[in-house]
Amino acid sequence: MNFKRHRRLRSTESMRSLIRENHIHKEDLIYPIFLVEGTNIRNPVASMPKVEQISLDLLENEIKEVWNLGIRSIILFGVPNDCDKDNYGSGAYAENGIIQRGIRTVKKSCPEIIVIADTCLCEYTDHGHCGLIEDGEVLNDETLPLLQKTAVSQAKAGADIIAPSNMMDGFVAAIRTALDENGFGHLPIMSYAIKYASAFYGPFRDAAQSAPKFGDRRSYQMDPANRYEAMRELESDLVEGADFIIVKPALSYMDIIRDVRNNCTLPVVAYNVSGEYAMVKAAAQNGWIDEKRLVMEIITSFKRAGADLIITYHAKEICNWLDGK
């Protein structure tokens, strides 16, 4: 009989490892950290088991743990007190804002780690939207100068990468101009270029306390039904000067990750978002899945789809699993 013997290359674990096409490395992982005001605070996020908001005084030990696990990149999210929020999101660009202090703390304790600063206003506005509001509408062009101020303040604090997540038109061009004009032409921009208006963000908004007080974000984040629109967003960010391209969410958008990979040579970042994490944790807690196998399969699938880097709340666990723990 004449037929292909594909199973020859699957016969043993050693053989499967020999021809494996995609691998997860610790250096691929970016770990998110939520910072809150106060001292000695670890607030568990109910919808995200093992994820906590931590106060700045605990950040140094957190970074030591992350570094010792082998994680080389983190992304910081600030959670200011409600009384510090206003219509302009001024805490986002305050010299002593929570993210600015967090960046300085990290770089002082572990200069080698890559600090990525999430650059948005939603955590800092009293209305929870990512830009200035007028008559219930999010203003695009009027928001851009505030994003410029935020990016420059984060750069001055010592951020290694600026990651704007607001989805205003022209945000990459505006931030690139501001960084260049203020002596930070060397800093790369990790753009949330392709960010969908997704129901998968719910647990994150609990963690970051950034849910909009009215309406939703569908007027500036992308429609989950659209694929070609992602290519238009990608084209704009490439022209405007992005250095990394984020696709968010990741699990339901691997076709988009592949499209991006096929259409650009920049590093592609998959954001394994909070809802994706929460679903896995809930199923694992109920004994319905093998958590380790499922997480590693999901993360590997992002790499197979074309991602170079992965932002994930599973990062610590993945490092332990890679070490055989």
Side-chain angles (χ1 to χ4, degrees):
M1 296 179 64
N2 184 21
F3 54 86
K4 298 291 185 180
R5 295 285 184 180
H6 300 291
R7 291 180 58 187
R8 291 172 183 153
L9 301 183
R10 304 172 192 156
S11 57
T12 66
E13 177 57 30
S14 295
M15 184 66 74
R16 292 189 293 272
S17 297
L18 178 66
I19 66 159
R20 189 160 291 142
E21 299 171 27
N22 294 283
H23 298 267
I24 301 301
H25 305 287
K26 293 180 180 182
E27 293 83 1
D28 301 334
L29 307 175
I30 300 169
Y31 185 60
I33 296 176
F34 297 96
L35 299 177
V36 295
E37 299 284 5
T39 57
N40 199 32
I41 294 174
R42 285 192 176 272
N43 292 330
V45 179
S47 55
M48 299 175 69
K50 296 188 176 181
V51 174
E52 300 173 313
Q53 301 170 332
I54 66 169
S55 51
L56 284 168
D57 59 308
L58 302 181
L59 183 55
E60 183 175 347
N61 286 337
E62 181 77 7
I63 294 302
K64 287 180 180 178
E65 177 188 359
V66 166
W67 182 264
N68 289 337
L69 283 169
I71 297 168
R72 295 297 177 255
S73 305
I74 60 167
I75 183 166
L76 295 180
F77 297 94
V79 187
N81 293 324
D82 286 344
C83 62
D84 294 326
K85 299 183 180 185
D86 58 33
N87 187 56
Y88 299 95
S90 59
Y93 45 86
E95 181 180 353
N96 287 311
I98 189 165
I99 282 293
Q100 288 75 9
R101 284 179 284 144
I103 294 168
R104 290 193 289 266
T105 297
V106 174
K107 297 309 290 186
K108 182 178 179 180
S109 63
C110 187
E112 300 89 353
I113 201 166
I114 296 291
V115 178
I116 305 166
D118 180 77
T119 306
C120 197
L121 303 179
C122 60
E123 297 106 310
Y124 307 91
T125 56
D126 51 16
H127 46 73
H129 279 284
C130 302
L132 291 176
I133 299 291
E134 185 175 287
D135 298 327
E137 296 292 328
V138 179
L139 304 177
N140 192 94
D141 294 11
E142 293 82 353
T143 296
L144 296 179
L146 301 185
L147 298 173
Q148 290 177 310
K149 291 172 65 175
T150 302
V152 171
S153 73
Q154 293 169 339
K156 289 180 177 178
D160 298 292
I161 299 174
I162 301 299
S165 60
N166 53 87
M167 288 298 286
M168 298 296 109
D169 290 339
F171 70 101
V172 172
I175 289 172
R176 184 72 272 161
T177 297
L179 291 174
D180 291 352
E181 290 179 349
N182 284 272
F184 297 105
H186 61 286
L187 285 191
I189 294 174
M190 181 181 284
S191 172
Y192 287 72
I194 299 165
K195 183 178 180 181
Y196 285 88
S198 173
F200 282 105
Y201 302 151
F204 174 90
R205 290 173 182 170
D206 291 339
Q209 298 174 12
S210 62
K213 296 294 191 296
F214 64 89
D216 54 46
R217 294 174 178 157
R218 287 184 288 183
S219 70
Y220 46 104
Q221 294 178 359
M222 292 172 53
D223 187 335
N226 293 350
R227 183 174 181 179
Y228 297 132
E229 184 181 0
M231 296 301 97
R232 297 196 294 272
E233 289 282 359
L234 170 64
E235 182 181 359
S236 294
D237 283 24
L238 293 177
V239 170
E240 292 176 20
D243 301 284
F244 301 79
I245 300 294
I246 296 177
V247 178
K248 180 182 181 184
L251 187 57
S252 292
Y253 296 85
M254 283 191 277
D255 58 326
I256 307 301
I257 295 172
R258 172 46 57 185
D259 285 344
V260 171
R261 174 75 290 153
N262 288 343
N263 285 277
C264 85
T265 58
L266 295 180
V268 177
V269 186
Y271 198 139
N272 180 208
V273 300
S274 59
E276 298 164 3
Y277 175 88
M279 290 192 302
V280 170
K281 285 296 182 183
Q285 288 179 344
N286 281 282
W288 297 335
I289 59 167
D290 180 328
E291 182 178 3
K292 175 183 175 181
R293 284 192 63 191
L294 182 59
V295 170
M296 295 304 289
E297 182 175 339
I298 289 171
I299 298 299
T300 302
S301 71
F302 297 152
K303 293 295 291 289
R304 190 186 66 244
D308 301 290
L309 304 171
I310 300 157
I311 302 172
T312 179
Y313 305 95
H314 293 290
K316 289 182 179 179
E317 296 167 307
I318 292 170
C319 288
N320 281 321
W321 293 333
L322 290 173
D323 288 337
K325 299 178 182 178

